[in-house]
Amino acid sequence: MTKTILITGATSGFGAAAVKRFAGAGWRVIATGRRAGRLQVLVNQFGDDRVHAAIFDIRDADAMHAALDALPPQFRDIDLLVNNAGLAQGTLPAQRASLDDWRTMIDTNVTALVTLTHKLLPTLIARQGAIINISSTAATYPYTGGNAYGGSKAFVSQFSLGLRADLHGTGVRVTALEPGMAETEFTLVRTHGDQAASDALYKGAKPMTAEDIAETIWWIANLPPHLNINRLELMPTSQSFAGFQIARDA
Ligand code: NDP
Ligand code: 8X3
């Protein structure tokens, strides 16, 4: 039977790669994001019976509900929700960070994610489906300038584990996927459009690719139903951990 996946943040990076992975393998895909033109390219590539574009700002709960309530009948039985839309904004330490940036991250990475999850839980329970939440290594490992972004991703990971507990016995699987550095538009967005800063970060680093993450999502989604990956952290080989910092005579 054909399965249906809803992927948020499908216009770029992990989300766009996941649309291609799942639609290419025959799943029905609901692809969401604000940039309609990019979603239309995916619809054109796979056909509107395979990919449905749902265009809305994920922070706008009314628009989200309207888009989901207007799904064509063949896209309504959602088996897998991939909560991927998200962003970091800013790299400044808390005392110099923008409160607007913090609120944008929390509205997108936290509030929108729980709103969509809450809306789809009845369907996912009825389908014995699955949820894959895209968290980050920033959920676990703090770094200067990570402040609200790391906090938002810690929420995503802990919320995922809480969902696991609440959904006990329903057959619904829940995973927090926690990637480290991957080259997408993430750093361009984080730096408010500084392409040189983005290029400098990834240069020579052999970061993970969007396709690496899409393949991992595919693997998790296609495990036998009796297996649940609770949380999965992955990094490029070139990335690891740094030590604690010490302020002397502070
Ligand atoms: P990209 O910037 O390439 O993609 C982000 C996606 O999120 C876009 O499709 C964008 O769509 C969507 N999005 C952002 N804000 C909104 C909004 N308000 N409404 C609707 N959609 C929105 O980044 P990545 O692919 O790298 O990021 C995907 C997820 O992975 C994020 O949650 C990120 O935090 C996480 N992550 C990324 C890592 C990395 O190193 N790249 C590592 C660990 C986690 P549009 O702008 O068209 O609306
Ligand atoms: C993105 C990874 O290290 O930039 O979630 O926070 S990092």
Side-chain angles (χ1 to χ4, degrees):
M1 196 176 58
T2 305
K3 289 194 166 183
T4 302
I5 180 174
L6 187 153
I7 305 172
T8 66
T11 60
S12 171
F14 303 167
V19 171
K20 291 173 190 163
R21 184 67 182 89
F22 281 79
W27 286 50
R28 280 197 195 95
V29 180
I30 304 155
T32 89
R34 289 166 297 185
R35 287 171 285 182
R38 291 192 182 197
L39 295 178
Q40 190 57 47
V41 170
L42 295 166
V43 173
N44 293 346
Q45 183 176 350
F46 294 100
D48 61 6
D49 54 341
R50 188 77 61 79
V51 176
H52 174 77
I55 303 145
F56 57 90
D57 185 324
I58 203 158
R59 295 168 297 176
D60 181 342
D62 290 342
M64 176 197 293
H65 289 299
L68 294 180
D69 292 345
L71 285 175
Q74 69 271 28
F75 285 91
R76 289 197 182 153
D77 290 336
I78 296 167
D79 299 289
L80 173 57
L81 166 63
V82 177
N83 277 313
N84 166 74
L87 78 171
Q89 280 198 327
T91 54
L92 290 171
Q95 56 274 32
R96 288 193 284 132
S98 149
L99 181 59
D100 281 347
D101 281 350
W102 283 9
R103 295 178 73 108
T104 299
M105 289 187 274
I106 293 164
D107 290 349
T108 311
N109 301 355
V110 175
T111 308
L113 182 146
V114 301
T115 304
L116 180 57
T117 303
H118 190 268
K119 170 119 181 129
L120 290 183
L121 274 177
T123 303
L124 292 165
I125 290 169
R127 309 270 316 154
Q128 296 200 314
I131 302 170
I132 300 177
N133 290 326
I134 307 301
S135 178
S136 168
T137 48
T140 305
Y141 308 102
Y143 55 88
T144 54
N147 41 65
Y149 179 68
S152 74
K153 292 301 186 178
F155 176 90
V156 172
S157 287
Q158 195 63 18
F159 180 61
S160 305
L161 295 176
L163 281 174
R164 273 282 284 144
D166 287 353
L167 293 167
H168 182 79
T170 64
V172 176
R173 296 187 286 173
V174 186
T175 301
L177 181 58
E178 301 174 340
M181 180 175 60
E183 185 167 4
T184 62
E185 293 179 12
F186 177 84
T187 301
L188 194 62
V189 171
R190 182 171 214 168
T191 59
H192 297 285
D194 187 341
Q195 186 67 58
S198 177
D199 292 345
L201 176 67
Y202 301 126
K203 189 174 176 205
K206 296 197 182 79
M208 294 186 292
T209 65
E211 289 71 28
D212 292 331
I213 304 305
E215 196 58 35
T216 307
I217 294 170
W218 173 260
W219 174 73
I220 293 167
N222 287 284
L223 288 168
H226 69 283
L227 283 179
N228 191 96
I229 304 292
N230 296 335
R231 59 199 306 172
L232 179 62
E233 180 185 302
L234 64 166
M235 284 179 165
T237 310
S238 62
Q239 185 181 34
S240 65
F241 320 99
F244 293 110
Q245 50 187 348
I246 298 164
R248 299 190 191 282
D249 302 323

